[in-house]
Amino acid sequence: MSITPENLGDLSRRTLLRLAGAAGLLATLAAGLLSACAGSEPSKSDDTGAAKSKDNPFGVKDGSAVKVVIFNGGLGDQWAKEDKVVFNAKHPNITVNMSSTQKIKTEEQPKMATQPSDLVMNSGADMMDRSTLINEGAIEPLDDLLTAPAWDSEGTVADSLLPGTVGDGTQNGKFYVVNVAYTVWGNWYNAALFKKEGWQAPTTWDEFFALAPKIKAKGMAPYVHDAVHGYYPRWGLMASIWKTAGKQVVVDIDNLKENAWKADGVLKALEPWEKLVKDRLLLPGKLDHTQSQQAWLDGKAAFIQVGTWLKNEMSATIPPGFELTLSDYWSNADDKAPKDVFAASGEGFVVPSKAPNKEAAKEFLRAILSKAGSAKFAELTKSLASTKGSGDNVQDSALASANTLMKNGGSELISVKFQDFYADLDKESQNLSEELMAGRLTAQQFVDKMQAAADKVAKDSSIKKQTRTA
């Protein structure tokens, strides 16, 4: 699940940094493909498809059908139905068979080797492992999508995307995953409640721990989180490590560098989370994502850490006058990157290698990433799409708080890659994050166990290693 500022000018410093990692890839692709895809070259055709043109760069054939599977999670699926309208306005003679589910791996992975769907949104707790799909050749590289003309704007599809989207979907030097949402993570609170009580939203851990007794005095828990899905608490833990220890330490962790988990700053970053648990500042109970979010909306806790899909996911039960407001993860004194914000593209689409209509799948992706489609996405989900300008005309206070956070952020966007690189390390990190937040591990034990898990992967010659450079 995954937001960016409505004013891209505010991201100029961040844009340059995040796009730098993808520059080599895009330059190579552009040299051979850009003029043919984006210009006004003569139409081309092949034996299986229709004539190729700027409006039909993949040669999608009239009369064909494309099967699209949507993950119906926190963002719902109405936005995807709007993309179907956008697509059929340009291709009225192509049938879009769209279905929605939360059981992506259960329902789609068994079909990947035989007769898969054409386009699959791989997201949620039951998502397919990305590295496995790539290493087994189960999904199609989509580099030609990047160099294709944008659906309804100048330039290429790559030109239309927000910083980091290309890099987030790239592995082994190829672009495989089209992330359509852009998420900001942090600590949410009810601004109306804080105004009423005269509380100042904390920016540091020290400020939070000073405020916590006042919150408890009102009969509320200071904090709540999803205690069922381990990747939820992991977001906060990894954001803290980046802020305190700095980017290079997280890059080293992703690259399985020896003793990276024991680098200066890692333990310091995790100790406030351990204190939060030991001081009984968490709402009791093993609540999942929607249960913890509802408890927060019901006033049982003051803060919850989650991404910007929150408002859409809980829209039916938000109380009147509740002001959803996003603040950054709290920092420690002397942190190396206290202002860096955890934001990234997410909600990724993949095209199976054996899909019967890959051309139409890529064309549908162009429609999803269009200005029209992405504007509908932002309007309906109250989250930004990974296409530039998607939220320009959306008026929403929750979205505005995320944009303010991005505007005031540091020079980098926090990102973590190891969970995409290594399935076993991903699972172990989720388990250990749950254990830490349940009080069954100390911060030191968490660090030791994560280092051991990383060492095991590093020493296993059967596991293909990935390298992060930016």
Side-chain angles (χ1 to χ4, degrees):
M1 302 176 183
S2 317
I3 238 176
T4 51
E6 297 173 357
N7 182 352
L8 289 178
D10 294 330
L11 272 183
S12 58
R13 63 191 187 285
R14 188 177 296 110
T15 299
L16 292 172
L17 288 165
R18 287 301 301 269
L19 289 180
L25 168 66
L26 293 180
T28 301
L29 292 168
L33 298 173
L34 183 56
S35 61
C37 293
S40 55
E41 294 289 318
S43 298
K44 300 177 183 179
S45 62
D46 54 38
D47 294 336
T48 59
K52 295 183 180 181
S53 66
K54 184 174 181 180
D55 278 337
N56 189 7
F58 304 111
V60 182
K61 187 176 181 180
D62 274 354
S64 65
V66 58
K67 181 172 176 53
V68 180
V69 179
I70 302 299
F71 171 69
N72 189 4
L75 297 173
D77 63 358
Q78 184 57 44
W79 59 271
K81 296 174 183 177
E82 297 292 339
D83 290 325
K84 182 177 177 180
V85 174
V86 172
F87 179 86
N88 281 139
K90 184 173 287 192
H91 299 291
N93 298 319
I94 299 172
T95 301
V96 179
N97 296 315
M98 181 177 288
S99 62
S100 301
T101 183
Q102 292 192 2
K103 297 295 184 180
I104 298 296
K105 182 177 182 178
T106 300
E107 297 176 7
E108 295 301 315
Q109 189 154 319
K111 300 185 291 185
M112 295 293 279
T114 55
Q115 191 171 3
S117 303
D118 296 300
L119 182 61
V120 180
M121 185 176 177
N122 186 35
S123 185
D126 191 40
M127 69 186 295
M128 299 178 285
D129 177 61
R130 165 174 154 167
S131 288
T132 300
L133 293 176
I134 293 172
N135 293 336
E136 293 182 354
I139 56 176
E140 190 79 357
L142 300 172
D143 303 300
D144 54 346
L145 175 67
L146 292 178
T147 56
W151 183 272
D152 52 5
S153 61
E154 296 300 317
T156 65
V157 169
D159 294 332
S160 73
L161 299 177
L162 283 166
T165 306
V166 172
D168 290 340
T170 298
Q171 192 164 322
N172 300 340
K174 295 182 180 180
F175 182 69
Y176 288 96
V177 182
V178 181
N179 291 321
V180 298
Y182 210 81
T183 298
V184 181
W185 287 267
N187 294 315
W188 290 87
Y189 66 97
N190 178 5
L193 170 67
F194 274 58
K195 292 173 188 174
K196 176 184 174 183
E197 299 295 343
W199 297 339
Q200 183 69 35
T203 59
T204 67
W205 279 107
D206 285 344
E207 292 171 354
F208 167 72
F209 288 124
L211 178 61
K214 298 177 184 178
I215 295 172
K216 293 183 73 173
K218 293 294 180 178
M220 302 175 67
Y223 210 86
V224 66
H225 78 293
D226 179 344
V228 175
H229 302 106
Y231 54 88
Y232 273 71
R234 185 181 64 193
W235 290 325
L237 301 181
M238 294 308 302
S240 292
I241 290 173
W242 178 296
K243 283 176 172 292
T244 301
K247 174 184 176 178
Q248 187 57 50
V249 168
V250 175
V251 172
D252 291 343
I253 285 172
D254 290 338
N255 289 339
L256 303 177
K257 184 177 179 179
E258 186 176 1
N259 289 325
W261 282 95
K262 297 185 178 182
D264 289 345
V266 175
L267 182 61
K268 181 182 177 182
L270 299 174
E271 285 174 338
W273 292 101
E274 178 184 347
K275 176 177 171 61
L276 184 152
V277 176
K278 284 188 174 180
D279 288 0
R280 300 181 183 275
L281 303 181
L282 275 177
L283 183 69
K286 192 173 177 65
L287 307 178
D288 66 15
H289 57 302
T290 53
Q291 291 170 332
S292 59
Q293 289 162 191
Q294 189 58 55
W296 175 68
L297 290 171
D298 291 339
K300 296 179 181 178
F303 291 98
I304 185 169
Q305 76 99 19
V306 70
T308 40
W309 64 85
L310 172 65
K311 184 169 185 177
N312 188 72
E313 187 165 53
M314 305 304 292
S315 59
T317 59
I318 298 173
F322 198 105
E323 296 182 23
L324 290 85
T325 307
L326 181 64
S327 63
D328 198 7
Y329 287 109
W330 304 313
S331 59
N332 290 298
D334 302 322
D335 276 0
K336 290 187 176 180
K339 289 186 173 295
D340 284 0
V341 176
F342 195 179
S345 62
E347 306 297 338
F349 277 90
V350 296
V351 177
S353 296
K354 294 190 177 182
N357 199 349
K358 288 181 279 192
E359 295 78 18
K362 294 175 186 179
E363 185 69 349
F364 199 87
L365 285 169
R366 279 211 314 142
I368 292 175
L369 298 172
S370 68
K371 291 175 64 177
S374 61
K376 274 295 184 182
F377 179 94
E379 175 189 338
L380 292 168
T381 67
K382 302 301 183 291
S383 294
L384 290 186
S386 57
T387 303
K388 295 174 182 176
S390 66
D392 285 353
N393 297 314
V394 179
Q395 300 298 316
D396 180 78
S397 59
L399 193 58
S401 69
N403 289 332
T404 298
L405 178 56
M406 293 289 290
K407 179 179 178 179
N408 296 328
S411 60
E412 297 270 8
L413 295 180
I414 295 171
S415 63
V416 186
K417 303 293 186 182
F418 73 82
Q419 68 266 24
D420 293 326
F421 290 166
Y422 309 109
D424 290 344
L425 190 56
D426 171 28
K427 185 59 179 176
E428 183 68 359
S429 71
Q430 291 188 44
N431 293 338
L432 295 177
S433 296
E434 289 181 32
E435 293 294 289
L436 175 63
M437 295 304 291
R440 293 187 288 268
L441 286 180
T442 65
Q444 183 64 65
Q445 289 170 329
F446 176 90
V447 167
D448 292 341
K449 288 179 178 293
M450 281 303 307
Q451 186 61 64
D455 290 343
K456 182 178 179 180
V457 173
K459 294 174 182 177
D460 189 336
S461 60
S462 69
I463 298 175
K464 182 178 178 63
K465 303 304 189 292
Q466 310 293 333
T467 300
R468 173 182 180 176
T469 58

